[in-house]
Amino acid sequence: MKKVKAIVYVRLKDEVLDPQGKTIALAMENMGYKEFGAVRSGRFFELECDSFPELQNRIDEICTKLLSNPVIETYRVEMVS
Amino acid sequence: MKFGVVTFPGSNCDYDAYTAAKFTLNQEAEFLWHKSESLANSDVIILPGGFSYGDYLRSGAIARFSPIMKAVVKFAEAGGVVIGICNGFQILLECGLLPGALIRNSHLRFACKYTYLKVEDHSTIFTSDCPVGQPLKIPIAHGDGNYYNFQADLKDLKNNGQILFTYADANGQNSNGSNPNGSLLDIAGITNRDGNVLGMMPHPERAVEKILGSDDGLHIFNSLVTHFEKRPARAG
């Protein structure tokens, strides 16, 4: 069985206010990094498992049920062998 | 009547809720461990405040998968009365019994202070005993209390009369500066469409005796007691 790693990136939707990102942007500006406009924050997860045919569906399930809240967040999955 | 108070790992307002029910209201009350699958014949289930599962992932995101939540969802869907306070509200949103989400306070700080709540509807089982034309003085204590939902769903909430409490000033008016966390439409508490599930960020169980600074929270609990006293007693 081939070992794979799914990297799941979860972030707030564009229309949802991201106070953390905003505060980080403000700190960057105060530090003199004025060339960066907006900052959006997020988090990522690494899921390791053996590859199997239904894997993509299983990952989508866990992403919508647990790892992200579809009301406020979106996710993106990257597969690494 | 009987209150069932759920304890999740990390709940810290369960004793406050239990004490309010048992000793202030003189009603039956029982703690329900999150691993239990029985609600012990409770009339009202309280999901208390706290930091269930350390608020890991998102507030309430892990607690909604606790074994007892299956029973709570089934109970609520059959018309059972459920109140989620603070973290309990977050859990109700995560499990889908209430619509929307609670995100980080817009100013990023933990907010711990008294707020005034405008009661938007006095005809519900949660508010029938609330005085008309007078806000409720009830404290908040949260970092993730900023209510968010899609514009269309906000409209639905409003049109269906599901917005029960909004942040207001001491005169009971929604005004600039009375919203402590950035909540859309000044939302402090909402119900489901059927009106049997309430989620609210402020803590009525911390405002049940004058010595605590306010006893306005009693109006909410008394409304429920009135509701259940009018109802015929349970068989058996």
Side-chain angles (χ1 to χ4, degrees):
Chain A
M1 215 44 113
K2 200 172 82 171
K3 285 263 182 217
V4 289
K5 190 188 274 183
I7 306 178
V8 179
Y9 297 90
V10 177
R11 63 186 297 264
L12 286 166
K13 290 178 180 170
D14 285 333
E15 63 271 28
V16 178
L17 177 76
D18 176 11
Q20 283 183 103
K22 257 185 144 170
T23 306
I24 293 164
L26 189 68
M28 284 165 52
E29 203 186 309
N30 291 341
M31 291 162 73
Y33 296 99
K34 296 182 194 296
E35 62 272 42
F36 304 102
V39 175
R40 303 287 294 178
S41 66
R43 52 164 94 86
F44 76 94
F45 307 88
E46 290 182 347
L47 317 179
E48 287 176 41
C49 70
D50 294 325
S51 181
F52 62 98
E54 280 298 288
L55 180 58
Q56 194 59 51
N57 289 343
R58 299 282 287 172
I59 291 173
D60 282 333
E61 253 180 62
I62 199 77
C63 284
T64 47
K65 276 189 193 165
L66 179 66
L67 298 182
S68 78
N69 178 340
V71 180
I72 49 172
E73 294 169 323
T74 57
Y75 70 89
R76 182 170 62 82
V77 182
E78 210 177 280
M79 300 299 294
V80 186
S81 308
Chain B
M1 62 170 291
K2 181 171 177 180
F3 288 88
V5 180
V6 178
T7 301
F8 297 97
S11 294
N12 64 12
C13 300
D14 44 344
Y15 273 82
D16 302 60
Y18 178 88
T19 304
K22 181 115 180 163
F23 300 108
T24 314
L25 297 167
N26 276 318
Q27 301 295 323
E28 270 185 82
E30 185 170 337
F31 286 116
L32 306 171
W33 184 235
H34 73 112
K35 283 194 171 161
S36 155
E37 286 175 27
S38 152
L39 302 182
N41 278 319
S42 305
D43 296 299
V44 173
I45 296 297
I46 300 181
L47 304 183
F51 299 87
S52 58
Y53 294 89
D55 271 355
Y56 291 163
L57 201 53
R58 296 175 305 277
S59 306
I62 313 277
R64 68 164 281 210
F65 293 107
S66 275
I68 199 162
M69 284 309 294
K70 262 192 193 152
V72 171
V73 170
K74 210 168 140 195
F75 177 71
E77 284 173 350
V81 178
V82 178
I83 309 181
I85 301 166
C86 199
N87 190 227
F89 185 10
Q90 293 156 345
I91 296 168
L92 289 175
L93 294 167
E94 282 284 342
C95 76
L97 281 177
L98 291 174
L102 287 157
I103 59 175
R104 189 62 41 91
N105 294 345
S106 54
H107 48 68
L108 279 178
R109 291 186 300 277
F110 192 89
C112 186
K113 61 177 191 179
Y114 275 100
T115 55
Y116 291 93
L117 304 183
K118 183 175 167 190
V119 180
E120 300 282 344
D121 182 353
H122 286 79
S123 69
T124 76
I125 58 171
F126 304 105
T127 52
S128 60
D129 280 30
C130 293
V132 177
Q134 191 186 313
L136 304 177
K137 184 187 173 194
I138 295 183
I140 54 166
H142 60 244
D144 297 327
N146 182 350
Y147 183 82
Y148 180 85
N149 208 337
F150 307 111
Q151 283 304 322
D153 290 333
L154 284 171
K155 213 179 260 177
D156 282 348
L157 279 179
K158 207 164 179 177
N159 292 341
N160 299 334
Q162 290 174 250
I163 301 174
L164 194 51
F165 301 114
T166 54
Y167 296 110
D169 59 24
N171 298 316
Q173 303 299 317
N174 305 119
S175 60
N176 266 347
S178 59
N179 182 332
N181 53 30
S183 267
L184 294 178
L185 302 182
D186 297 323
I187 285 173
I190 58 171
T191 64
N192 63 344
R193 221 176 155 157
D194 291 335
N196 59 306
V197 178
L198 164 68
M200 61 189 297
M201 286 314 294
H203 287 271
E205 82 286 6
R206 294 191 191 176
V208 292
E209 290 176 44
K210 281 265 189 271
I211 198 170
L212 297 172
S214 169
D215 58 2
D216 284 356
L218 274 181
H219 295 305
I220 296 171
F221 293 113
N222 281 335
S223 300
L224 286 169
V225 174
T226 305
H227 170 74
F228 281 97
E229 275 174 357
K230 278 190 198 149
R231 203 188 66 168
R234 273 196 317 270

